[in-house]
Amino acid sequence: RAEMRVVDQPEVRQLIHDAQGEARHAIAELRDLARGIVPPLLADRGLVAAVESLAARYGLGTSIEADTHRRLAPAVESAAYFVIAEALTNTAKHASAQRSWVTLTHERRMLVVVVGDDGMGGADPDGSGLAGLRARVEALDGSLRVESPGGVGSVVEASLPCG
């Protein structure tokens, strides 16, 4: 709106344009910083406790099954937590789901994280949130798979090496 008011003042328009660019840059830096912050519960009590707390916030009746309760490398726990958080956030915001579930399985030196729901599906595997998760998981030599056909729910599966 400010730019529209100073159409005849190119110097002021340029200042406004520069300020918008700086604001976008600052927001990107804040997002990067926020992505790296580990919730205290995760650091103190581990992945299962943090996921239980996270699931309770969404009110989706999320069931959690975990065959591993041992502590893993902080980078692995953090990546798994953020995969679960993003998937549950997407479920709560977009899926119109009645229920969701999380499973954590330790298989052949891999932590396999599966988050699913019974919602309407249709998630974009290349959307910004899931693309960010994919980058986080692949940075640890893991993989991320998303299945979300329309009308039959969604499943996000991450496999993370954990030695």
Side-chain angles (χ1 to χ4, degrees), residues 18-81:
D18 292 347
Q20 288 172 330
E22 289 297 319
R24 279 192 289 276
H25 180 71
I27 290 169
E29 285 183 358
L30 283 172
R31 284 187 180 133
D32 289 342
L33 176 64
R35 284 186 193 112
I37 295 173
V38 174
L41 186 60
L42 177 61
D44 295 343
R45 296 197 29 227
L47 182 59
V48 175
V51 170
E52 288 170 347
S53 174
L54 181 66
R57 282 188 249 163
Y58 288 101
L60 293 168
T62 304
S63 64
I64 301 167
E65 291 183 34
D67 76 354
T68 182
H69 290 274
R70 72 179 181 96
R71 296 302 303 261
L72 303 170
V76 172
E77 287 189 345
S78 178
Y81 177 85

Side-chain angles (χ1 to χ4, degrees), residues 86-155:
E86 180 72 16
L88 289 178
T89 297
N90 288 346
T91 297
K93 282 184 176 179
H94 308 294
S96 299
Q98 297 302 308
R99 66 181 197 90
S100 62
W101 60 90
V102 175
T103 61
L104 302 165
T105 309
H106 194 207
E107 299 175 358
R108 294 173 300 216
R109 305 181 101 183
M110 299 289 279
L111 175 65
V112 178
V113 177
V114 179
V115 184
D117 66 63
D118 66 354
M120 61 186 186
D124 179 4
D126 297 319
S128 62
L130 292 172
L133 289 181
R134 181 170 285 108
R136 181 185 289 265
V137 167
E138 289 175 354
L140 298 173
D141 293 327
S143 63
L144 184 79
R145 183 177 61 83
V146 178
E147 290 183 18
S148 188
V152 293
S154 297
V155 175

